[in-house]
């Protein structure tokens, strides 16, 4: 969140969509900077897990009309219960998956464990660091099948549905305008099937 254009981009997105709650991940920032972002974007509440070296960093922001109760906040997720006037109480988890593929099973085990911890209607959002199908990737080599299979098995076992993405199909890219341009949908919203 260092360069001013990133904060301006975030402000533009907020102005366009007017969210009451927002999860930002992989911003490589600290609490002090995120407090400035919070005040410049019109949010009142904030929970932040600071970046570890050159990776991670997650923040959940919300407006006053939302009541947030923290369940857990280790280095890769923020798990809360949210209460909005005239709406059912729900559970929301902002999530940042394991970047190292060889340790991706940690992410899947964490998703399984989180799914067992509470029986509230649940939505999990963030950077899962994985795709569900080959169509979630454009360019480059095929995604390893074992990653697809294990992630799909985890989603099924946790009782989650992948929610539809509106807007551009991909959420991460590298090499734009070159022969090696790769685009991938790593960011997702998942919700319990019964919700």
């Amino acid at each position: 969140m260092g360069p001013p254009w990133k904060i301006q981009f975030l402000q533009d997105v907020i102005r366009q969509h007017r969210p009451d709650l927002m999860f930002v991940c992989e911003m490589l920032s600290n609490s002090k900077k995120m407090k400035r972002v919070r005040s410049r974007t019109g949010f009142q509440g904030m929970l932040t897990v600071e970046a570890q070296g050159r990776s991670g960093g997650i923040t959940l922001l919300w407006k006053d009309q939302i009541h947030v109760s923290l369940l857990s906040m280790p280095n890769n997720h923020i798990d809360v219960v949210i209460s909005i006037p005239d709406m059912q109480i729900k559970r929301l988890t902002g999530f940042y998956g394991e970047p190292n593929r060889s340790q991706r099973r940690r992410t899947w085990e964490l998703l399984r464990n989180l799914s067992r911890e509470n029986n509230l209607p649940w939505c999990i959002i963030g950077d899962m660091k994985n795709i569900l199908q080959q169509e979630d990737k454009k360019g480059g080599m095929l995604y390893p099948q074992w990653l697809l299979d294990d992630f799909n098995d985890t989603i099924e076992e946790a009782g989650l549905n992948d929610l539809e993405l509106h807007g551009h199909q991909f959420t991460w890219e590298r090499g734009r305008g070159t022969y090696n341009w790769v685009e991938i949908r790593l960011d997702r919203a998942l919700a319990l099937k019964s919700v």
Side-chain angles (χ1 to χ4, degrees), residues 117-151:
E117 288 180 6
N118 199 301
N119 60 358
L120 287 172
W122 183 41
C123 184
I124 183 165
I125 57 176
D127 185 348
M128 303 298 154
K129 294 292 184 205
N130 218 84
I131 63 175
L132 288 171
Q133 58 190 355
Q134 292 295 345
E135 292 76 19
D136 289 341
K137 182 175 184 284
K138 179 179 168 185
M141 298 173 59
L142 288 177
Y143 212 75
Q145 192 61 43
W146 72 272
L147 287 169
L148 297 176
D149 293 342
D150 286 358
F151 190 41

Side-chain angles (χ1 to χ4, degrees), residues 1 3 27 38 93 105 108 117 125 145 148 152 186:
M1 295 304 289
M27 75 268 177
R38 179 191 65 191
T93 305
R105 286 188 171 98
W108 302 323
E117 288 180 6
I125 57 176
Q145 192 61 43
L148 297 176
N152 276 287
L186 296 176

Side-chain angles (χ1 to χ4, degrees), residues 44-62:
Q44 292 80 38
M46 180 182 88
L47 291 169
T48 295
V49 175
E50 295 192 9
Q52 306 292 314
R54 296 291 305 150
S55 70
I58 56 177
T59 296
L60 182 67
L61 301 160
W62 64 91

Side-chain angles (χ1 to χ4, degrees), residues 16-17 162-171 185 187-189:
Q16 182 181 4
H17 297 285
D162 183 38
L163 300 181
E164 184 179 348
L165 174 68
H166 295 278
H168 186 66
Q169 179 181 354
F170 305 106
T171 61
R185 181 184 175 198
D187 300 335
R188 312 197 92 76

